[in-house]
Amino acid sequence: AAEACRSKQWYQRRVRGAEKSLKPARVYGAGANSLYEKNDFSSGDDKLFVAISSDRGLCGGIHSGLGRTFKAMHAENPIKKMIIVGDKAKAILVKTVGDAYLCTFNNVGKKQSSFTDALNIAEEILAHDFDSADVVFNNYINVVSYKPTIKPVPSATNIESNDAVYTYDEVDSEVVRCFQEFSLANIIHHALKEQEASEQSARMNAMENATRNAGEMIDKLQLQYNRTRQAVITRELIEIISGANALD
């Protein structure tokens, strides 16, 4: 019981740490995404999908849920371009959309992600041509729930074609490109932190359920052992008593 309590406290500390690092990332992510949410941008036909997962398992169905989301989107409209962050999503989706992989990132989730990691992913995304990109990740709601979320990001060309960009001042292509790169990095950073918090909470719940199931199994096996042992003792006593009566 003491060991189980210490294990639960360890997972709770990890969840609290993930929640703490998620708070500022949410602020920057919401700010970066505000322009895209408040204005209509053309999605176009050339769409790029970005899956945010990790390399780590033992966290319930969090990765398989993300995989089901992509499989449903692929069934509705075939995915032609995709960037994978994390080996778990890569392994789940390789049979379905493996031909669409443009790039994959590994060693994700072994330590807390940084803004530099988000910048590297954003640079790789912008190295490819697309009309719009959909960043898909698990959004952390609370300790017991999360849900797959899609954040659309338009290309620099689509941003330039929207009149809302020129509301306050004239901007050139270089300014738009820099804005898109920085906002995309913030969105990716936010997605990584959401995924980390969701994963930590899912792992804590999965380990707690596994511990409880193991305890119930041990109790059942212990009861079965005691009953079998008692039956053997009873049978031996009956044989001894029957043998003694036969001698009399």
Side-chain angles (χ1 to χ4, degrees), residues 61-113:
I62 187 169
H63 298 304
S64 58
L66 198 67
R68 286 193 297 272
T69 300
F70 274 103
K71 289 176 181 177
M73 289 191 295
H74 181 67
E76 182 178 344
N77 191 12
I79 295 174
K80 298 178 180 178
K81 292 182 179 180
M82 193 169 187
I83 292 177
I84 304 288
V85 180
D87 283 341
K88 288 297 181 180
K90 176 184 176 182
I92 291 171
L93 296 171
V94 65
K95 291 184 179 180
T96 307
V97 291
D99 295 337
Y101 288 1
L102 299 177
C103 176
T104 60
F105 292 83
N106 55 10
N107 295 323
V108 181
K110 296 181 179 179
K111 61 179 181 179
Q112 282 200 357
S113 61

Side-chain angles (χ1 to χ4, degrees), residues 197-218:
S198 301
E199 189 174 319
Q200 290 294 348
S201 65
R203 183 172 292 110
M204 182 184 71
N205 293 325
M207 293 300 102
E208 186 176 349
N209 292 335
T211 302
R212 182 173 60 252
N213 293 337
E216 292 175 356
M217 183 179 295
I218 290 172

Side-chain angles (χ1 to χ4, degrees), residues 106-126:
N106 55 10
N107 295 323
V108 181
K110 296 181 179 179
K111 61 179 181 179
Q112 282 200 357
S113 61
S114 63
F115 191 73
T116 302
D117 299 327
L119 273 176
N120 293 333
I121 298 170
E123 287 177 357
E124 180 61 34
I125 294 172
L126 295 176

Side-chain angles (χ1 to χ4, degrees), residues 16-241:
R16 285 197 296 268
E19 287 177 337
K20 185 177 179 181
S21 62
L22 171 60
K23 288 181 180 179
R26 272 183 171 170
V27 175
Y28 287 104
N33 202 49
S34 60
L35 175 67
Y36 307 144
E37 288 182 340
K38 295 177 181 179
N39 297 278
D40 294 328
F41 292 92
S42 173
S43 59
D45 297 326
D46 189 11
K47 184 169 285 191
L48 172 65
F49 292 88
V50 183
I52 305 293
S53 67
S54 76
D55 294 3
R56 302 185 65 191
L58 300 176
C59 48
I62 187 169
H63 298 304
S64 58
L66 198 67
R68 286 193 297 272
T69 300
F70 274 103
K71 289 176 181 177
M73 289 191 295
H74 181 67
E76 182 178 344
N77 191 12
I79 295 174
K80 298 178 180 178
K81 292 182 179 180
M82 193 169 187
I83 292 177
I84 304 288
V85 180
D87 283 341
K88 288 297 181 180
K90 176 184 176 182
I92 291 171
L93 296 171
V94 65
K95 291 184 179 180
T96 307
V97 291
D99 295 337
Y101 288 1
L102 299 177
C103 176
T104 60
F105 292 83
N106 55 10
N107 295 323
V108 181
K110 296 181 179 179
K111 61 179 181 179
Q112 282 200 357
S113 61
S114 63
F115 191 73
T116 302
D117 299 327
L119 273 176
N120 293 333
I121 298 170
E123 287 177 357
E124 180 61 34
I125 294 172
L126 295 176
H128 301 279
D129 294 327
F130 58 90
D131 292 332
S132 64
D134 282 352
V135 181
V136 186
F137 57 95
N138 284 296
N139 186 56
Y140 177 78
I141 300 174
N142 52 47
V143 179
V144 295
S145 62
Y146 53 86
K147 67 176 181 178
T149 302
I150 302 174
K151 292 290 184 183
V153 179
S155 64
T157 304
N158 283 341
I159 295 175
E160 286 185 52
S161 63
N162 193 299
D163 295 336
V165 178
Y166 307 99
T167 300
Y168 300 103
D169 198 0
E170 292 292 330
V171 294
D172 56 19
S173 298
E174 182 64 19
V175 173
V176 172
R177 188 191 64 80
C178 291
F179 169 78
Q180 186 202 25
E181 182 176 352
F182 182 69
S183 63
L184 178 59
N186 275 299
I187 291 172
I188 295 294
H189 182 59
H190 174 216
L192 288 170
K193 292 300 182 181
E194 291 280 2
Q195 179 68 27
E196 287 175 2
S198 301
E199 189 174 319
Q200 290 294 348
S201 65
R203 183 172 292 110
M204 182 184 71
N205 293 325
M207 293 300 102
E208 186 176 349
N209 292 335
T211 302
R212 182 173 60 252
N213 293 337
E216 292 175 356
M217 183 179 295
I218 290 172
D219 292 340
K220 290 179 181 178
L221 291 174
Q222 184 68 42
L223 180 61
Q224 183 179 354
Y225 167 77
N226 291 337
R227 287 176 176 174
T228 304
R229 179 172 174 270
Q230 186 63 43
V232 171
I233 293 172
T234 303
R235 186 175 63 251
E236 290 177 350
L237 288 174
I238 292 173
E239 290 174 354
I240 293 171
I241 294 171

